[in-house]
Amino acid sequence: MYRRGSRRRLPRKAIEEITDYKKVTVKEHEKRVPVRQKLPESLPRVEEHIYPDGYKGHEDEWVLFDDTETSEHLEFNPAELYVRVTIRHKGMRKDTKEILTAPVQNEPIAKSYASASLLTDLMVGKYVDHLPFYRQVQMYKRLGVSIPPSTIESWFHDVADLMRPAYYRLRELVLATDYVQSDETTVPVINNEKHQTVKGYLWLVRSVVNNLIFFSYNEGSRGQKVVIQLFKDYQGAIQTDGYAGYNILEKFKGITTLCCWAHARRYFDRALTHDKARAEHALAQIGMLYDVERMADDQNMDTIQRMELRKRLAYPIIRAFEKWCICEQNNVLPKSPIGKAIGYFLNYSRQLVRYTMDGRYLPDNNLIENSVRPVALGRKNYLFCGNHEAAEDAAVIYSLMGCCKAVGVDFKEWMNYFLNHVHEYDNDYSKDLAELLPHSLKERAII
């Protein structure tokens, strides 16, 4: 136990150390001069030679110098569609008189003319590039093929069905780790009974340990029942934004709940125009917590060293900030912006301080919020999902696309490989579907 005087000195010493470190590490700002970027060396080059006027046809009258002037311009060849015709030959073995026909090749969707490459282009177009299917229909028309929207919609559900077993395996891998982050975002869904769109919710769970993510759609609910269903068998730390639906997790044995400092900071940001002095003081305290993280990053600290640094510097600052909030709470209106900010912090102070317990824990949920952005962009472009089934299928595809992004795998390369090989796992139960996930294919240098 620290004596009272010692406790008072701890925050002051922590603030002094952080301030001194910032003074030492401040780097002079270098003015950047715009420079024209070189085009990637990996792109193929097609040379175009241009000669002086009068050279062509009279080459023998000229002497060309070796010295030339070269410039580069980026050209674009539009996509093209073509028909792959598969011809299966039949033959007879001379020795056995056995007649054989070349085997039928597995296509992603049985009895469909859609190839893996076409399905890949459609799904990546919608769930990565946020192009609604009807716009892609128009693009294909310009290339000479008219595909009915109902056909594409059917392919979408078929692709989701192909991915679903791998999706459930992905969920198992995420929930088998001991540190995840969770968030939820809205997705408009058409309610056929009410003939209008209703607000549904996609839940996102991300493993910070292995950088895998999945989306979950439970009939659009944001209720506590979804939290219980998602994490009923989970053991480890769960970091959230403080949504009340997660409060039930405090009662689960083996679960440690963490909250997000970025959310706490936003409340004080909003209070700047209402109570500048208090809001600025709070933001300064929170800013020092992130200064501690930068100190750890600059010194390439491992998780143990980071934890010790947090205990020495961040923990006393948080406790001093908590005392300040308790004192100020009685001096502000509870429903004012600053009152809400202080109230939010005090409600979740226990969960906010817990990140100092483990060097692996992050101070905020920013990683998972970045993973939610594709859904938000899609929401603006294709507006709604047709029904609950479509939203569930979208969750499956978003999950696998999100894993591609998280581990830096090309979306189209992965999906094309997946669709061409997924049927190899249909009847061979010795194979693990995890082998088809983006991180696994990358680790094995297959893609």
Side-chain angles (χ1 to χ4, degrees):
M1 291 289 292
Y2 292 106
R3 290 176 298 178
R4 185 175 299 175
S6 172
R7 286 180 180 173
R8 288 195 186 122
R9 286 195 296 272
L10 278 174
R12 187 166 63 249
K13 288 178 67 176
I15 292 169
E16 288 173 358
E17 184 172 340
I18 294 169
T19 304
D20 290 343
Y21 183 84
K22 288 172 68 178
K23 287 179 181 177
V24 172
T25 56
V26 168
K27 296 179 182 177
E28 186 178 350
H29 177 70
E30 295 180 7
K31 188 175 181 181
R32 292 186 178 183
V33 179
V35 178
R36 182 178 178 179
Q37 262 189 328
K38 286 192 67 176
L39 296 175
E41 294 296 331
S42 58
L43 291 177
R45 258 68 175 173
V46 178
E47 291 187 352
E48 175 188 44
H49 291 267
I50 301 176
Y51 296 95
D53 290 339
Y55 176 80
K56 285 292 185 75
H58 303 280
E59 290 85 349
D60 56 340
E61 300 175 7
W62 289 75
V63 175
L64 283 183
F65 301 134
D66 292 332
D67 183 30
T68 59
E69 295 183 7
T70 304
S71 60
E72 292 190 340
H73 300 86
L74 195 61
E75 296 284 352
F76 174 73
N77 275 332
E80 64 173 358
L81 293 170
Y82 67 93
V83 178
R84 170 169 53 89
V85 181
T86 302
I87 303 170
R88 296 166 53 224
H89 291 271
K90 183 186 291 188
M92 181 182 72
R93 287 183 177 275
K94 291 182 179 180
D95 53 348
T96 64
K97 308 300 183 184
E98 181 184 13
I99 297 175
L100 297 173
T101 303
V104 177
Q105 299 295 104
N106 276 332
E107 297 294 338
I109 302 173
K111 300 179 181 179
S112 168
Y113 61 79
S115 68
S117 62
L118 179 64
L119 294 170
T120 294
D121 192 59
L122 282 164
M123 301 308 143
V124 172
K126 180 167 182 177
Y127 291 100
V128 176
D129 299 326
H130 320 296
L131 292 171
F133 284 144
Y134 76 86
R135 287 187 193 167
Q136 296 189 66
V137 167
Q138 298 301 319
M139 293 165 66
Y140 287 135
K141 279 184 179 178
R142 291 198 294 271
L143 294 173
V145 175
S146 180
I147 305 175
S150 59
T151 300
I152 292 180
E153 193 68 26
S154 175
W155 291 345
F156 155 62
H157 292 297
D158 289 337
V159 168
D161 286 341
L162 287 173
M163 289 184 167
R164 207 174 308 277
Y167 164 77
Y168 285 122
R169 185 70 181 101
L170 169 64
R171 286 179 62 134
E172 289 177 355
L173 293 175
V174 170
L175 295 173
T177 62
D178 65 350
Y179 175 29
V180 299
Q181 297 178 327
S182 183
D183 199 4
E184 62 287 334
T185 188
T186 59
V187 53
V189 179
I190 292 180
N191 186 312
N192 291 325
E193 293 179 1
K194 296 181 179 179
H195 302 289
Q196 63 183 23
T197 57
V198 295
K199 185 186 292 184
Y201 283 88
L202 274 176
W203 295 72
L204 174 59
V205 182
R206 180 174 192 138
S207 168
V208 182
V209 177
N210 57 20
N211 207 19
L212 299 177
I213 65 173
F214 72 83
F215 288 84
S216 179
Y217 183 84
N218 192 311
E219 295 185 350
S221 172
R222 200 193 185 197
Q224 197 175 80
K225 65 177 183 179
V226 182
V227 176
I228 295 171
Q229 185 177 342
L230 276 174
F231 300 112
K232 61 183 178 180
D233 299 318
Y234 182 75
Q235 297 285 287
I238 301 176
Q239 192 165 32
T240 69
D241 59 5
Y243 164 53
Y246 294 108
N247 291 348
I248 189 69
L249 296 175
E250 288 283 322
K251 301 177 182 179
F252 283 36
K253 188 176 180 181
I255 289 182
T256 301
T257 56
L258 310 171
C259 270
C260 172
W261 275 100
H263 278 78
R265 183 170 55 188
R266 280 176 206 153
Y267 277 92
F268 288 105
D269 268 330
R270 294 173 194 145
L272 277 170
T273 55
H274 171 261
D275 191 329
K276 186 176 181 182
R278 288 189 178 94
E280 284 184 343
H281 174 79
L283 291 171
Q285 306 312 299
I286 297 172
M288 282 190 287
L289 302 181
Y290 282 90
D291 289 334
V292 173
E293 298 306 302
R294 279 187 283 274
M295 289 173 66
D297 292 339
D298 291 344
Q299 298 173 44
N300 296 315
M301 290 185 177
D302 59 29
T303 55
I304 301 297
Q305 293 169 324
R306 187 182 291 266
M307 178 186 68
E308 294 300 328
L309 185 71
R310 287 172 175 174
K311 286 182 177 179
R312 185 165 58 83
L313 300 181
Y315 182 82
I317 290 172
I318 294 172
R319 285 307 182 207
F321 179 53
E322 184 179 30
K323 290 178 181 177
W324 178 84
C325 285
I326 292 171
C327 293
E328 294 299 323
Q329 191 174 34
N330 294 326
N331 299 325
V332 299
L333 295 172
K335 293 186 178 181
S336 66
I338 193 66
K340 290 179 180 179
I342 290 174
Y344 178 90
F345 170 75
L346 292 176
N347 284 340
Y348 295 103
S349 59
R350 287 188 303 119
Q351 293 92 331
L352 285 165
V353 78
R354 284 177 185 158
Y355 85 97
T356 62
M357 296 164 42
D358 191 321
R360 297 177 307 151
Y361 296 161
L362 301 174
D364 55 48
N365 246 9
N366 286 348
L367 267 181
I368 199 168
E369 290 195 355
N370 291 338
S371 301
V372 168
R373 285 176 186 167
V375 181
L377 289 170
R379 200 163 54 217
K380 293 179 181 178
N381 285 274
Y382 42 82
L383 304 181
F384 54 81
C385 292
N387 49 45
H388 288 312
E389 182 186 5
E392 289 175 2
D393 290 346
V396 171
I397 297 176
Y398 271 132
S399 298
L400 278 303
M401 295 295 98
C403 286
C404 287
K405 182 180 178 181
V407 297
V409 166
D410 181 81
F411 303 101
K412 288 190 174 181
E413 188 177 3
W414 173 79
M415 193 165 186
N416 200 56
Y417 183 93
F418 177 90
L419 292 174
N420 278 315
H421 292 83
V422 65
H423 287 299
E424 297 170 11
Y425 292 72
D426 287 350
N427 300 312
D428 189 346
Y429 299 110
S430 65
K431 289 188 173 185
D432 186 354
L433 279 165
E435 295 170 357
L436 287 177
L437 296 177
H439 74 285
S440 179
L441 293 176
K442 183 179 181 180
E443 287 170 2
R444 291 179 286 142
I446 294 177
I447 58 175

PDB file of all heavy atoms in Angstrom, residues 22-47:
ATOM      1  N   LYS A  22       8.275  13.597 -24.207  1.00  0.00           N
ATOM      2  CA  LYS A  22       7.770  14.252 -25.407  1.00  0.00           C
ATOM      3  C   LYS A  22       8.698  15.368 -25.862  1.00  0.00           C
ATOM      4  O   LYS A  22       8.901  15.577 -27.052  1.00  0.00           O
ATOM      5  CB  LYS A  22       6.362  14.809 -25.151  1.00  0.00           C
ATOM      6  CG  LYS A  22       5.292  13.736 -25.057  1.00  0.00           C
ATOM      7  CD  LYS A  22       3.961  14.298 -24.619  1.00  0.00           C
ATOM      8  CE  LYS A  22       3.350  15.193 -25.668  1.00  0.00           C
ATOM      9  NZ  LYS A  22       2.023  15.696 -25.267  1.00  0.00           N
ATOM     10  N   LYS A  23       9.283  16.090 -24.919  1.00  0.00           N
ATOM     11  CA  LYS A  23      10.217  17.164 -25.278  1.00  0.00           C
ATOM     12  C   LYS A  23      11.442  16.617 -25.988  1.00  0.00           C
ATOM     13  O   LYS A  23      11.939  17.196 -26.954  1.00  0.00           O
ATOM     14  CB  LYS A  23      10.652  17.917 -24.019  1.00  0.00           C
ATOM     15  CG  LYS A  23       9.578  18.815 -23.417  1.00  0.00           C
ATOM     16  CD  LYS A  23      10.090  19.489 -22.163  1.00  0.00           C
ATOM     17  CE  LYS A  23       9.018  20.375 -21.523  1.00  0.00           C
ATOM     18  NZ  LYS A  23       9.494  20.974 -20.256  1.00  0.00           N
ATOM     19  N   VAL A  24      11.920  15.472 -25.528  1.00  0.00           N
ATOM     20  CA  VAL A  24      13.132  14.881 -26.093  1.00  0.00           C
ATOM     21  C   VAL A  24      12.866  14.300 -27.475  1.00  0.00           C
ATOM     22  O   VAL A  24      13.714  14.361 -28.367  1.00  0.00           O
ATOM     23  CB  VAL A  24      13.693  13.781 -25.157  1.00  0.00           C
ATOM     24  CG1 VAL A  24      14.832  13.024 -25.828  1.00  0.00           C
ATOM     25  CG2 VAL A  24      14.169  14.402 -23.855  1.00  0.00           C
ATOM     26  N   THR A  25      11.673  13.733 -27.657  1.00  0.00           N
ATOM     27  CA  THR A  25      11.390  13.002 -28.896  1.00  0.00           C
ATOM     28  C   THR A  25      10.711  13.833 -29.967  1.00  0.00           C
ATOM     29  O   THR A  25      10.417  13.315 -31.041  1.00  0.00           O
ATOM     30  CB  THR A  25      10.502  11.780 -28.598  1.00  0.00           C
ATOM     31  OG1 THR A  25       9.312  12.217 -27.936  1.00  0.00           O
ATOM     32  CG2 THR A  25      11.232  10.783 -27.722  1.00  0.00           C
ATOM     33  N   VAL A  26      10.419  15.112 -29.709  1.00  0.00           N
ATOM     34  CA  VAL A  26       9.795  15.954 -30.731  1.00  0.00           C
ATOM     35  C   VAL A  26      10.755  16.115 -31.901  1.00  0.00           C
ATOM     36  O   VAL A  26      11.905  16.499 -31.729  1.00  0.00           O
ATOM     37  CB  VAL A  26       9.420  17.344 -30.158  1.00  0.00           C
ATOM     38  CG1 VAL A  26       9.055  18.295 -31.292  1.00  0.00           C
ATOM     39  CG2 VAL A  26       8.245  17.219 -29.204  1.00  0.00           C
ATOM     40  N   LYS A  27      10.303  15.799 -33.110  1.00  0.00           N
ATOM     41  CA  LYS A  27      11.142  15.887 -34.295  1.00  0.00           C
ATOM     42  C   LYS A  27      10.738  17.104 -35.118  1.00  0.00           C
ATOM     43  O   LYS A  27       9.571  17.457 -35.202  1.00  0.00           O
ATOM     44  CB  LYS A  27      10.983  14.619 -35.143  1.00  0.00           C
ATOM     45  CG  LYS A  27      11.464  13.367 -34.424  1.00  0.00           C
ATOM     46  CD  LYS A  27      11.252  12.135 -35.293  1.00  0.00           C
ATOM     47  CE  LYS A  27      11.697  10.883 -34.557  1.00  0.00           C
ATOM     48  NZ  LYS A  27      11.450   9.657 -35.342  1.00  0.00           N
ATOM     49  N   GLU A  28      11.744  17.720 -35.707  1.00  0.00           N
ATOM     50  CA  GLU A  28      11.483  18.897 -36.532  1.00  0.00           C
ATOM     51  C   GLU A  28      10.673  18.491 -37.759  1.00  0.00           C
ATOM     52  O   GLU A  28      10.972  17.499 -38.428  1.00  0.00           O
ATOM     53  CB  GLU A  28      12.811  19.517 -36.974  1.00  0.00           C
ATOM     54  CG  GLU A  28      12.634  20.824 -37.726  1.00  0.00           C
ATOM     55  CD  GLU A  28      13.964  21.451 -38.108  1.00  0.00           C
ATOM     56  OE1 GLU A  28      14.996  20.970 -37.635  1.00  0.00           O
ATOM     57  OE2 GLU A  28      13.937  22.420 -38.890  1.00  0.00           O
ATOM     58  N   HIS A  29       9.644  19.258 -38.014  1.00  0.00           N
ATOM     59  CA  HIS A  29       8.770  18.950 -39.145  1.00  0.00           C
ATOM     60  C   HIS A  29       9.488  19.260 -40.457  1.00  0.00           C
ATOM     61  O   HIS A  29      10.004  20.353 -40.660  1.00  0.00           O
ATOM     62  CB  HIS A  29       7.490  19.786 -39.053  1.00  0.00           C
ATOM     63  CG  HIS A  29       6.563  19.574 -40.215  1.00  0.00           C
ATOM     64  ND1 HIS A  29       5.873  18.398 -40.409  1.00  0.00           N
ATOM     65  CD2 HIS A  29       6.224  20.402 -41.237  1.00  0.00           C
ATOM     66  CE1 HIS A  29       5.140  18.514 -41.508  1.00  0.00           C
ATOM     67  NE2 HIS A  29       5.333  19.707 -42.020  1.00  0.00           N
ATOM     68  N   GLU A  30       9.552  18.251 -41.317  1.00  0.00           N
ATOM     69  CA  GLU A  30      10.198  18.433 -42.611  1.00  0.00           C
ATOM     70  C   GLU A  30       9.147  18.772 -43.663  1.00  0.00           C
ATOM     71  O   GLU A  30       8.147  18.063 -43.791  1.00  0.00           O
ATOM     72  CB  GLU A  30      10.929  17.156 -43.022  1.00  0.00           C
ATOM     73  CG  GLU A  30      12.091  16.801 -42.100  1.00  0.00           C
ATOM     74  CD  GLU A  30      12.784  15.531 -42.542  1.00  0.00           C
ATOM     75  OE1 GLU A  30      12.441  15.015 -43.627  1.00  0.00           O
ATOM     76  OE2 GLU A  30      13.665  15.064 -41.821  1.00  0.00           O
ATOM     77  N   LYS A  31       9.395  19.844 -44.385  1.00  0.00           N
ATOM     78  CA  LYS A  31       8.460  20.247 -45.423  1.00  0.00           C
ATOM     79  C   LYS A  31       8.591  19.315 -46.615  1.00  0.00           C
ATOM     80  O   LYS A  31       9.682  19.099 -47.146  1.00  0.00           O
ATOM     81  CB  LYS A  31       8.749  21.692 -45.857  1.00  0.00           C
ATOM     82  CG  LYS A  31       7.694  22.240 -46.810  1.00  0.00           C
ATOM     83  CD  LYS A  31       7.951  23.699 -47.119  1.00  0.00           C
ATOM     84  CE  LYS A  31       6.879  24.236 -48.052  1.00  0.00           C
ATOM     85  NZ  LYS A  31       7.109  25.652 -48.389  1.00  0.00           N
ATOM     86  N   ARG A  32       7.472  18.747 -47.000  1.00  0.00           N
ATOM     87  CA  ARG A  32       7.493  17.808 -48.109  1.00  0.00           C
ATOM     88  C   ARG A  32       7.279  18.531 -49.428  1.00  0.00           C
ATOM     89  O   ARG A  32       6.386  19.358 -49.557  1.00  0.00           O
ATOM     90  CB  ARG A  32       6.405  16.742 -47.931  1.00  0.00           C
ATOM     91  CG  ARG A  32       6.674  15.813 -46.754  1.00  0.00           C
ATOM     92  CD  ARG A  32       5.639  14.708 -46.735  1.00  0.00           C
ATOM     93  NE  ARG A  32       5.891  13.771 -45.662  1.00  0.00           N
ATOM     94  CZ  ARG A  32       5.162  12.681 -45.453  1.00  0.00           C
ATOM     95  NH1 ARG A  32       4.127  12.432 -46.230  1.00  0.00           N
ATOM     96  NH2 ARG A  32       5.449  11.863 -44.459  1.00  0.00           N
ATOM     97  N   VAL A  33       8.110  18.185 -50.399  1.00  0.00           N
ATOM     98  CA  VAL A  33       7.977  18.747 -51.732  1.00  0.00           C
ATOM     99  C   VAL A  33       7.290  17.703 -52.603  1.00  0.00           C
ATOM    100  O   VAL A  33       7.713  16.546 -52.639  1.00  0.00           O
ATOM    101  CB  VAL A  33       9.366  19.094 -52.324  1.00  0.00           C
ATOM    102  CG1 VAL A  33       9.210  19.656 -53.735  1.00  0.00           C
ATOM    103  CG2 VAL A  33      10.084  20.081 -51.416  1.00  0.00           C
ATOM    104  N   PRO A  34       6.181  18.064 -53.266  1.00  0.00           N
ATOM    105  CA  PRO A  34       5.482  17.094 -54.114  1.00  0.00           C
ATOM    106  C   PRO A  34       6.406  16.519 -55.181  1.00  0.00           C
ATOM    107  O   PRO A  34       7.115  17.249 -55.877  1.00  0.00           O
ATOM    108  CB  PRO A  34       4.350  17.914 -54.746  1.00  0.00           C
ATOM    109  CG  PRO A  34       4.181  19.098 -53.850  1.00  0.00           C
ATOM    110  CD  PRO A  34       5.529  19.384 -53.276  1.00  0.00           C
ATOM    111  N   VAL A  35       6.425  15.193 -55.278  1.00  0.00           N
ATOM    112  CA  VAL A  35       7.244  14.508 -56.273  1.00  0.00           C
ATOM    113  C   VAL A  35       6.347  13.575 -57.072  1.00  0.00           C
ATOM    114  O   VAL A  35       5.533  12.846 -56.496  1.00  0.00           O
ATOM    115  CB  VAL A  35       8.377  13.693 -55.596  1.00  0.00           C
ATOM    116  CG1 VAL A  35       9.185  12.948 -56.655  1.00  0.00           C
ATOM    117  CG2 VAL A  35       9.274  14.600 -54.775  1.00  0.00           C
ATOM    118  N   ARG A  36       6.508  13.599 -58.381  1.00  0.00           N
ATOM    119  CA  ARG A  36       5.708  12.714 -59.223  1.00  0.00           C
ATOM    120  C   ARG A  36       6.110  11.270 -58.959  1.00  0.00           C
ATOM    121  O   ARG A  36       7.276  10.911 -59.049  1.00  0.00           O
ATOM    122  CB  ARG A  36       5.918  13.069 -60.698  1.00  0.00           C
ATOM    123  CG  ARG A  36       5.070  12.228 -61.641  1.00  0.00           C
ATOM    124  CD  ARG A  36       5.274  12.661 -63.078  1.00  0.00           C
ATOM    125  NE  ARG A  36       4.511  11.831 -63.991  1.00  0.00           N
ATOM    126  CZ  ARG A  36       4.494  12.012 -65.308  1.00  0.00           C
ATOM    127  NH1 ARG A  36       5.193  13.008 -65.838  1.00  0.00           N
ATOM    128  NH2 ARG A  36       3.777  11.219 -66.065  1.00  0.00           N
ATOM    129  N   GLN A  37       5.112  10.435 -58.640  1.00  0.00           N
ATOM    130  CA  GLN A  37       5.387   9.039 -58.320  1.00  0.00           C
ATOM    131  C   GLN A  37       5.765   8.264 -59.562  1.00  0.00           C
ATOM    132  O   GLN A  37       5.193   8.438 -60.636  1.00  0.00           O
ATOM    133  CB  GLN A  37       4.155   8.389 -57.689  1.00  0.00           C
ATOM    134  CG  GLN A  37       4.203   8.336 -56.184  1.00  0.00           C
ATOM    135  CD  GLN A  37       3.070   7.478 -55.658  1.00  0.00           C
ATOM    136  OE1 GLN A  37       2.005   7.429 -56.255  1.00  0.00           O
ATOM    137  NE2 GLN A  37       3.288   6.827 -54.547  1.00  0.00           N
ATOM    138  N   LYS A  38       6.743   7.345 -59.407  1.00  0.00           N
ATOM    139  CA  LYS A  38       7.100   6.452 -60.503  1.00  0.00           C
ATOM    140  C   LYS A  38       6.038   5.381 -60.614  1.00  0.00           C
ATOM    141  O   LYS A  38       5.489   4.915 -59.637  1.00  0.00           O
ATOM    142  CB  LYS A  38       8.469   5.810 -60.249  1.00  0.00           C
ATOM    143  CG  LYS A  38       9.640   6.754 -60.438  1.00  0.00           C
ATOM    144  CD  LYS A  38      10.945   5.982 -60.460  1.00  0.00           C
ATOM    145  CE  LYS A  38      11.034   5.091 -61.679  1.00  0.00           C
ATOM    146  NZ  LYS A  38      12.347   4.391 -61.761  1.00  0.00           N
ATOM    147  N   LEU A  39       5.759   4.977 -61.841  1.00  0.00           N
ATOM    148  CA  LEU A  39       4.797   3.896 -62.044  1.00  0.00           C
ATOM    149  C   LEU A  39       5.439   2.569 -61.647  1.00  0.00           C
ATOM    150  O   LEU A  39       6.653   2.370 -61.813  1.00  0.00           O
ATOM    151  CB  LEU A  39       4.373   3.857 -63.509  1.00  0.00           C
ATOM    152  CG  LEU A  39       3.624   5.111 -63.972  1.00  0.00           C
ATOM    153  CD1 LEU A  39       3.342   5.052 -65.468  1.00  0.00           C
ATOM    154  CD2 LEU A  39       2.318   5.258 -63.207  1.00  0.00           C
ATOM    155  N   PRO A  40       4.662   1.643 -61.068  1.00  0.00           N
ATOM    156  CA  PRO A  40       5.221   0.390 -60.544  1.00  0.00           C
ATOM    157  C   PRO A  40       6.029  -0.381 -61.583  1.00  0.00           C
ATOM    158  O   PRO A  40       5.614  -0.526 -62.745  1.00  0.00           O
ATOM    159  CB  PRO A  40       3.976  -0.399 -60.113  1.00  0.00           C
ATOM    160  CG  PRO A  40       2.921   0.632 -59.897  1.00  0.00           C
ATOM    161  CD  PRO A  40       3.209   1.728 -60.867  1.00  0.00           C
ATOM    162  N   GLU A  41       7.182  -0.900 -61.169  1.00  0.00           N
ATOM    163  CA  GLU A  41       8.037  -1.677 -62.071  1.00  0.00           C
ATOM    164  C   GLU A  41       7.377  -2.997 -62.444  1.00  0.00           C
ATOM    165  O   GLU A  41       7.722  -3.609 -63.459  1.00  0.00           O
ATOM    166  CB  GLU A  41       9.394  -1.935 -61.412  1.00  0.00           C
ATOM    167  CG  GLU A  41      10.239  -0.690 -61.180  1.00  0.00           C
ATOM    168  CD  GLU A  41      10.651  -0.021 -62.489  1.00  0.00           C
ATOM    169  OE1 GLU A  41      10.788  -0.734 -63.506  1.00  0.00           O
ATOM    170  OE2 GLU A  41      10.820   1.210 -62.493  1.00  0.00           O
ATOM    171  N   SER A  42       6.446  -3.467 -61.611  1.00  0.00           N
ATOM    172  CA  SER A  42       5.814  -4.763 -61.858  1.00  0.00           C
ATOM    173  C   SER A  42       4.869  -4.737 -63.058  1.00  0.00           C
ATOM    174  O   SER A  42       4.530  -5.788 -63.609  1.00  0.00           O
ATOM    175  CB  SER A  42       5.042  -5.207 -60.611  1.00  0.00           C
ATOM    176  OG  SER A  42       4.059  -4.239 -60.261  1.00  0.00           O
ATOM    177  N   LEU A  43       4.430  -3.541 -63.476  1.00  0.00           N
ATOM    178  CA  LEU A  43       3.510  -3.449 -64.607  1.00  0.00           C
ATOM    179  C   LEU A  43       4.249  -3.735 -65.922  1.00  0.00           C
ATOM    180  O   LEU A  43       5.391  -3.305 -66.104  1.00  0.00           O
ATOM    181  CB  LEU A  43       2.874  -2.060 -64.672  1.00  0.00           C
ATOM    182  CG  LEU A  43       1.891  -1.700 -63.554  1.00  0.00           C
ATOM    183  CD1 LEU A  43       1.420  -0.264 -63.741  1.00  0.00           C
ATOM    184  CD2 LEU A  43       0.701  -2.641 -63.540  1.00  0.00           C
ATOM    185  N   PRO A  44       3.598  -4.452 -66.836  1.00  0.00           N
ATOM    186  CA  PRO A  44       4.246  -4.693 -68.146  1.00  0.00           C
ATOM    187  C   PRO A  44       4.401  -3.386 -68.912  1.00  0.00           C
ATOM    188  O   PRO A  44       3.587  -2.477 -68.776  1.00  0.00           O
ATOM    189  CB  PRO A  44       3.281  -5.651 -68.850  1.00  0.00           C
ATOM    190  CG  PRO A  44       1.965  -5.451 -68.163  1.00  0.00           C
ATOM    191  CD  PRO A  44       2.278  -5.089 -66.740  1.00  0.00           C
ATOM    192  N   ARG A  45       5.463  -3.310 -69.703  1.00  0.00           N
ATOM    193  CA  ARG A  45       5.725  -2.126 -70.526  1.00  0.00           C
ATOM    194  C   ARG A  45       5.544  -2.467 -71.998  1.00  0.00           C
ATOM    195  O   ARG A  45       6.039  -3.498 -72.465  1.00  0.00           O
ATOM    196  CB  ARG A  45       7.169  -1.642 -70.312  1.00  0.00           C
ATOM    197  CG  ARG A  45       7.347  -0.439 -69.393  1.00  0.00           C
ATOM    198  CD  ARG A  45       7.026  -0.714 -67.976  1.00  0.00           C
ATOM    199  NE  ARG A  45       7.324   0.448 -67.113  1.00  0.00           N
ATOM    200  CZ  ARG A  45       7.013   0.510 -65.836  1.00  0.00           C
ATOM    201  NH1 ARG A  45       6.384  -0.502 -65.253  1.00  0.00           N
ATOM    202  NH2 ARG A  45       7.304   1.585 -65.117  1.00  0.00           N
ATOM    203  N   VAL A  46       4.819  -1.618 -72.702  1.00  0.00           N
ATOM    204  CA  VAL A  46       4.673  -1.728 -74.158  1.00  0.00           C
ATOM    205  C   VAL A  46       5.314  -0.484 -74.760  1.00  0.00           C
ATOM    206  O   VAL A  46       4.853   0.633 -74.527  1.00  0.00           O
ATOM    207  CB  VAL A  46       3.191  -1.827 -74.577  1.00  0.00           C
ATOM    208  CG1 VAL A  46       3.087  -1.879 -76.099  1.00  0.00           C
ATOM    209  CG2 VAL A  46       2.537  -3.054 -73.949  1.00  0.00           C
ATOM    210  N   GLU A  47       6.385  -0.689 -75.500  1.00  0.00           N
ATOM    211  CA  GLU A  47       7.138   0.453 -76.029  1.00  0.00           C
ATOM    212  C   GLU A  47       6.494   1.005 -77.307  1.00  0.00           C
ATOM    213  O   GLU A  47       6.013   0.262 -78.149  1.00  0.00           O
ATOM    214  CB  GLU A  47       8.590   0.048 -76.304  1.00  0.00           C
ATOM    215  CG  GLU A  47       9.378  -0.235 -75.040  1.00  0.00           C
ATOM    216  CD  GLU A  47      10.852  -0.480 -75.323  1.00  0.00           C
ATOM    217  OE1 GLU A  47      11.216  -0.570 -76.522  1.00  0.00           O
ATOM    218  OE2 GLU A  47      11.637  -0.594 -74.351  1.00  0.00           O
TER     219      GLU A  47
END
